[in-house]
């Protein structure tokens, strides 16, 4: 496989579609407008994720959209947590009154142990406090912030839009919708009811709803006119740069053998356009990376000698055609997830996250999910001045 050192300045070396060249005076996005900065779980690089405080901070830092992941409580209320399992993002493990709720559950076919939102009422959830799950991020805010409902987030969004004078959007994700359906806690109608209550259930509303499952999006398409985005996941990137991909869980249940990678072809993208307005691919679908093999172990090598194998030991390879193909199908492309920590940055970027943003902006993505809103906004501003 060809090893290519690629950065924003070098992106022009790759042949871009004629449509992109025609937009040279603007942005190489689907509509020629600047790409969106989507605050991934709020300002999650600075504060515990999925809290009102994290969402408010993200807007202060310039986010266009705030992104809450939605799961359901036992009494059918949508709350913002990255997963149904509360063990990593709340202080539930330290609460003796909930010790007996700990159990093992299969979520999308994989067994995990912890405390699950579907076993708690909203009143009980409101006694918990959020914690930072990443050890290398600030821990001093642990235990300070409560777990918000989707309705509370929508109220906050309206207030922040009014105070900032900007059109602040909301970008909810339905987490594990097939699993929630099996728990008799379907997400779709509850989500739409909240949007209606907030006056956002309309085609021109600043709303995207995202999902890793297609059946969920197809059901939502019948319930709401808001914009929908199909997320594309993968398990890993092999040393040679090939993606190790899985399947949407609704495909697993339905016996559909296709993987996420199978859904990146031009024909599949045209099919996706029938029920979605965009795709949300993991970054390596757009530009993958390759490492080197340690001849002694056969595993990925520690190229930079820091005794840890991470993205800093990998270099980018030539971009795929996914952005171009998606745009040709009329689909927006919102890529995830952009993070500042050097361990998440390929060697090409030399520890500078701004260079990563500029590379993907140059590729034509229509938006980025970022843990560090201010860095994304600054990179976009820098590109706009070119």
């Amino acid at each position: 496989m060809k090893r290519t050192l690629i950065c924003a300045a070098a992106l022009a070396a790759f042949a871009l579609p004629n449509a992109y060249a025609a937009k040279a005076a603007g942005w190489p996005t689907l509509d020629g407008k600047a790409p969106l900065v989507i605050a991934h779980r709020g300002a999650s690089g600075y504060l515990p994720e999925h809290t009102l405080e994290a969402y408010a901070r993200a807007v202060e830092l310039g986010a266009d959209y705030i992104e809450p992941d939605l799961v359901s409580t036992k009494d059918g209320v949508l709350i913002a947590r990255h997963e149904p399992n509360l063990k990593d993002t709340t202080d539930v493990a330290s609460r003796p009154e909930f010790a007996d709720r700990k159990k093992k559950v299969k979520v999308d076919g994989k067994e995990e142990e912890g405390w699950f939102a579907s076993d708690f009422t909203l009143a009980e959830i409101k006694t918990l406090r959020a914690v930072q799950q990443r050890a290398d991020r600030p821990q001093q805010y642990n235990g300070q912030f409560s777990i918000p409902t989707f309705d509370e987030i929508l109220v906050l969004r309206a207030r922040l839009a009014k105070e900032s004078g900007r059109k602040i959007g909301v970008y909810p994700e339905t987490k594990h919708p097939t699993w929630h359906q099996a728990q008799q806690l379907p997400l779709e109608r509850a989500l739409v009811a909240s949007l209606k209550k907030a006056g956002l259930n309309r085609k021109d509303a600043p709303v995207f709803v995202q999902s890793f499952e297609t059946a969920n999006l197809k059901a939502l398409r019948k319930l709401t006119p808001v914009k929908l985005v199909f997320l594309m996941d993968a398990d890993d990137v092999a040393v040679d740069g090939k993606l190790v991909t899985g399947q949407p869980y609704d495909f697993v249940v339905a016996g559909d053998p296709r993987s996420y990678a199978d859904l990146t072809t031009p024909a599949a993208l045209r099919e996706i356009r029938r029920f979605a307005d965009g795709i949300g691919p993991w970054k390596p679908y757009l530009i993958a990376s390759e490492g080197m093999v340690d001849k002694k172990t056969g595993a990925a090598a520690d190229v930079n000698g820091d005794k840890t194998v991470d993205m800093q030991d990998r270099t980018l390879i030539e971009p795929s055609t996914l952005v171009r193909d998606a745009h040709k199908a009329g689909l927006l492309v919102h890529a995830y997830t952009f993070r500042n920590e050097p361990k998440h940055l390929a060697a090409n970027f030399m520890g500078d996250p701004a260079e990563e943003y500029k590379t993907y902006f140059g590729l034509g993505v229509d938006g980025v999910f970022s843990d560090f809103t201010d860095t994304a906004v600054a990179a976009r501003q820098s590109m706009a001045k070119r």
Side-chain angles (χ1 to χ4, degrees):
M1 181 171 290
K2 181 180 178 182
R3 178 183 291 269
T4 306
L5 288 177
I6 173 175
C7 62
L11 193 62
F14 296 99
L16 295 178
N18 291 335
Y20 286 15
K23 297 176 182 177
W27 293 87
T29 52
L30 181 62
D31 60 6
K33 296 179 181 179
L36 298 174
V37 173
I38 305 152
H40 185 242
R41 312 181 199 175
S44 55
Y46 303 111
L47 295 172
E49 65 187 45
H50 293 314
T51 59
L52 295 180
E53 291 78 7
Y55 299 131
R57 177 68 63 82
V59 172
E60 290 174 7
L61 296 176
D64 302 302
Y65 279 73
I66 54 176
E67 188 235 11
D69 295 328
L70 301 179
V71 303
S72 180
T73 64
K74 183 178 182 179
D75 43 355
V77 179
L78 299 183
I79 61 171
R81 288 294 89 192
H82 179 54
E83 292 291 335
N85 196 338
L86 305 172
K87 70 181 181 67
D88 293 327
T89 62
T90 76
D91 60 359
V92 66
S94 67
R95 300 298 188 94
E97 66 270 31
F98 297 130
D100 62 348
R101 306 281 178 95
K102 187 178 184 180
K103 65 180 184 181
K104 293 182 179 179
V105 171
K106 279 192 175 182
V107 179
D108 290 2
K110 298 178 181 179
E111 186 175 81
E112 51 186 276
E113 187 174 31
W115 292 260
F116 296 83
S118 54
D119 292 328
F120 290 73
T121 65
L122 177 61
E124 291 171 328
I125 291 290
K126 283 299 185 179
T127 69
L128 302 178
R129 292 295 178 266
V131 300
Q132 171 60 257
Q133 68 168 322
R134 292 176 178 266
D136 58 347
R137 290 184 176 175
Q139 303 292 313
Q140 66 265 35
Y141 303 102
N142 290 348
Q144 294 186 25
F145 309 137
S146 65
I147 313 305
T149 66
F150 186 40
D151 286 340
E152 289 171 335
I153 294 167
L154 294 178
V155 170
L156 174 69
R157 183 216 67 85
R159 178 172 66 79
L160 294 174
K162 183 176 180 179
E163 292 176 353
S164 67
R166 297 191 292 119
K167 189 178 180 180
I168 306 302
V170 64
Y171 207 127
E173 179 186 344
T174 53
K175 299 296 293 190
H176 306 287
T178 296
W179 181 86
H180 272 97
Q181 187 79 34
Q183 312 309 307
Q184 306 300 312
L185 293 169
L187 303 174
E188 294 82 6
R189 291 189 182 278
L191 186 155
V192 174
S194 290
L195 292 178
K196 287 181 178 178
K197 182 179 177 181
L200 294 173
N201 192 43
R202 60 181 197 276
K203 188 174 182 179
D204 63 345
V207 178
F208 287 95
V209 179
Q210 55 181 322
S211 177
F212 283 105
E213 299 184 21
T214 64
N216 172 236
L217 292 174
K218 290 175 181 178
L220 283 166
R221 181 59 93 199
K222 297 177 181 179
L223 297 174
T224 178
V226 301
K227 297 176 288 293
L228 306 178
V229 172
F230 175 58
L231 301 172
M232 295 178 166
D233 198 10
D235 297 325
D236 200 0
V237 182
V239 177
D240 64 0
K242 294 180 180 178
L243 268 69
V244 181
T245 62
Q247 294 178 272
Y249 190 63
D250 58 316
F251 280 21
V252 175
V253 172
D256 189 326
R258 290 177 297 170
S259 69
Y260 283 107
D262 292 327
L263 300 179
T264 64
T265 66
L269 292 169
R270 290 193 295 271
E271 178 186 340
I272 291 170
R273 185 65 185 92
R274 296 173 62 184
F275 60 85
D277 302 276
I279 58 171
W282 186 35
K283 290 184 300 185
Y285 276 106
L286 307 183
I287 311 176
S289 62
E290 64 181 358
M292 297 181 67
V293 176
D294 187 317
K295 294 181 179 180
K296 293 182 179 179
T297 66
D302 174 18
V303 177
N304 64 1
D306 65 356
K307 299 183 180 180
T308 301
V309 177
D310 54 28
M311 281 299 296
Q312 296 174 98
D313 300 298
R314 303 179 68 96
T315 54
L316 301 182
I317 59 178
E318 187 168 342
S320 74
T321 62
L322 184 54
V323 173
R324 177 181 63 195
D325 294 340
H327 283 176
K328 187 174 181 180
L331 292 164
L332 297 162
V333 180
H334 296 162
Y336 73 91
T337 301
F338 291 77
R339 300 182 167 106
N340 281 11
E341 293 92 350
K343 67 181 180 181
H344 299 301
L345 300 170
N348 311 68
F349 305 124
M350 301 180 67
D352 184 357
E355 286 302 309
E356 182 182 40
Y357 286 109
K358 292 175 184 178
T359 296
Y360 282 85
F361 289 156
L363 195 62
V365 297
D366 302 278
V368 293
F369 291 88
S370 173
D371 286 3
F372 297 86
T373 299
D374 49 343
T375 306
V377 170
R380 182 176 64 182
Q381 291 175 336
S382 176
M383 288 278 287
K385 294 176 181 178
R386 71 194 191 282

